[in-house]
Amino acid sequence: MFRADGRWPAAEEGLDPYPIWIAEVMLQQTQLQVVLPYWQRWMQAFPKLEVLAAASEQQVLLLWQGLGYYSRARRLHATSRLLLTELQRHQRDGNDPMPFSDWPFDPEIWLALPGIGRSTAGGILSSAFNSPRAILDGNVRRVLARLHAHPVPPIRAQAQFWAWSEELIDAVPGLSRDLNQALMDLGAIVCTPRRPSCELCPWDAHCAAYAAGSPQQYPVKEAPRDIPFQVIGVGVVLNDAAEVLIDQRLNDGLLGGLWEFPGGKQEPDEVITDTIRRELREELAIEVNVDNKLITVDHAYSHKKLRFEVYLCRWISGDPQPLASQQVRWVKPSNLADYPFPAANGRIIAALLERLA
């Protein structure tokens, strides 16, 4: 049925893998209603693989701005170039669209690409090619946990949950695309986290959690962890030309590659204005006057909560150096929209523009 090189034999039997791949990566750790407008804007800006591969990383991050988990965007961009190189080896005319038949069908090829795990690979291959590959995203885990009233958190029983998902795939040969989509829709629309509509579920007669009268107790959750809280002093530094200083985060770590206003963590018993002066001296080798507070922004990540205490600053001396970042830049405040910033910085930019108006 399949070609000897493990690729799908006929393009008309599959769907375009490119938009499916983009959607699968965007849906990692993010809900569909949040992803949909981002996916639509992405497909307008980067309608095919070649366009994405030719884009700059900053263009990609700017379009991703606000979606979170920015390493996904950088990995998508890097993967696009790897895939393009692979696909061009199978393309006769470099100006033609990439034929679907030349996209990799072997899951091992996908798993070797940046940012592609087992469930994402299964989602791409089953959706694009109707390949008999199981998936295990958050919706499917929740459905399976309730169906079997599994007594431990799914993350501690991955092998069992994968076995259940694969059993379902094996039970409906030739319908992998429809089954996986139905499982995701069931979890997103009916078997929801807080108010499951069990009366609408086609599996209510087979669901152990429903039979026990306690579907909301599943999936079993890990014991909650204490989330650390940190105060960050941020300096919005203006020079005599009314330009503002921004720096680009290192690619490694949280929010890599994005731009931000400089600053850092407040030390114990440290006055926040002293924090800002110290951080700008240590990270940028500049001296500033810390003036009035601009705004306070609270922002929560999955692993910590931050409070940004933001002050307007006047540059005094020192040529800004990227001692803890990729690069620094003086820009006109009106041009800040051209740079990708973390979500919390959007309120800072709005407050700055209002103050300067």
Side-chain angles (χ1 to χ4, degrees), residues 272-338:
I272 195 65
T273 52
D274 291 340
T275 299
I276 294 170
R277 275 188 289 266
R278 174 182 55 79
E279 287 287 342
L280 269 57
R281 187 181 303 120
E282 292 174 355
E283 295 190 359
L284 300 173
I286 63 173
E287 297 294 332
V288 300
N289 276 337
V290 180
D291 296 330
N292 299 323
K293 178 185 283 192
L294 178 64
I295 191 174
T296 296
V297 177
D298 290 323
H299 191 76
Y301 295 98
S302 60
H303 62 295
K304 62 182 176 181
K305 295 181 179 179
L306 300 179
R307 173 166 294 161
F308 298 95
E309 297 287 357
V310 187
Y311 281 72
L312 288 172
C313 301
R314 286 180 291 113
W315 172 76
I316 298 175
S317 63
D319 185 19
Q321 303 294 318
L323 303 180
S325 59
Q326 292 191 53
Q327 57 178 315
V328 296
R329 190 170 295 179
W330 291 104
V331 300
K332 293 292 185 183
S334 58
N335 293 335
L336 289 171
D338 296 333

Side-chain angles (χ1 to χ4, degrees), residues 47-93:
K48 54 185 180 178
L49 181 68
E50 300 93 322
V51 178
L52 175 57
S56 70
E57 184 176 280
Q58 288 297 287
Q59 289 175 303
V60 171
L61 289 173
L62 190 62
L63 204 61
W64 194 276
Q65 187 173 241
L67 192 55
Y69 300 98
Y70 291 88
S71 59
R72 294 180 297 172
R74 296 199 309 275
R75 287 194 294 257
L76 268 175
H77 189 227
T79 300
S80 70
R81 295 178 174 180
L82 294 174
L83 275 172
L84 184 62
T85 299
E86 171 70 13
L87 293 175
Q88 284 177 335
R89 294 173 184 167
H90 299 269
Q91 187 185 29
R92 295 180 180 178
D93 184 348

Side-chain angles (χ1 to χ4, degrees), residues 32-255:
L32 176 61
Q33 61 266 32
V34 176
V35 163
L36 185 56
Y38 281 91
W39 180 85
Q40 291 170 333
R41 288 193 293 269
W42 183 284
M43 295 308 301
Q44 289 178 346
F46 310 125
K48 54 185 180 178
L49 181 68
E50 300 93 322
V51 178
L52 175 57
S56 70
E57 184 176 280
Q58 288 297 287
Q59 289 175 303
V60 171
L61 289 173
L62 190 62
L63 204 61
W64 194 276
Q65 187 173 241
L67 192 55
Y69 300 98
Y70 291 88
S71 59
R72 294 180 297 172
R74 296 199 309 275
R75 287 194 294 257
L76 268 175
H77 189 227
T79 300
S80 70
R81 295 178 174 180
L82 294 174
L83 275 172
L84 184 62
T85 299
E86 171 70 13
L87 293 175
Q88 284 177 335
R89 294 173 184 167
H90 299 269
Q91 187 185 29
R92 295 180 180 178
D93 184 348
N95 294 320
D96 291 340
M98 293 298 171
F100 304 164
S101 57
D102 281 338
W103 281 72
F105 180 77
D106 185 348
E108 296 304 318
I109 295 177
W110 284 97
L111 289 170
L113 295 171
I116 305 294
R118 184 177 177 183
S119 187
T120 301
I124 295 168
L125 292 172
S126 64
S127 294
F129 305 117
N130 202 24
S131 173
R133 301 292 171 183
I135 61 171
L136 196 60
D137 71 349
N139 285 319
V140 176
R141 276 195 294 266
R142 184 168 58 257
V143 169
L144 293 174
R146 289 173 174 170
L147 189 65
H148 297 277
H150 196 65
V152 301
I155 196 66
R156 298 192 180 188
Q158 287 284 81
Q160 178 62 77
F161 277 75
W162 273 111
W164 284 331
S165 187
E166 288 169 345
E167 285 174 7
L168 292 172
I169 289 290
D170 292 341
V172 287
L175 296 174
S176 301
R177 176 188 293 139
D178 295 337
L179 173 68
N180 283 339
Q181 187 62 57
L183 284 172
M184 290 187 289
D185 288 347
L186 183 64
I189 300 170
V190 177
C191 195
T192 55
R194 293 182 179 83
R195 296 185 182 87
S197 302
C198 297
E199 69 281 1
L200 301 177
C201 181
W203 274 348
D204 60 347
H206 307 280
C207 179
Y210 179 66
S214 57
Q216 290 173 312
Q217 294 182 15
Y218 301 91
V220 174
K221 296 179 174 59
E222 297 278 5
R225 299 174 299 168
D226 291 334
I227 299 178
F229 173 79
Q230 296 174 343
V231 176
I232 308 295
V234 177
V236 178
V237 183
L238 295 167
N239 63 13
D240 293 338
E243 296 169 321
V244 64
L245 186 63
I246 59 175
D247 61 353
Q248 186 181 28
R249 295 176 66 96
L250 299 172
N251 278 337
D252 295 336
L254 185 69
L255 308 176

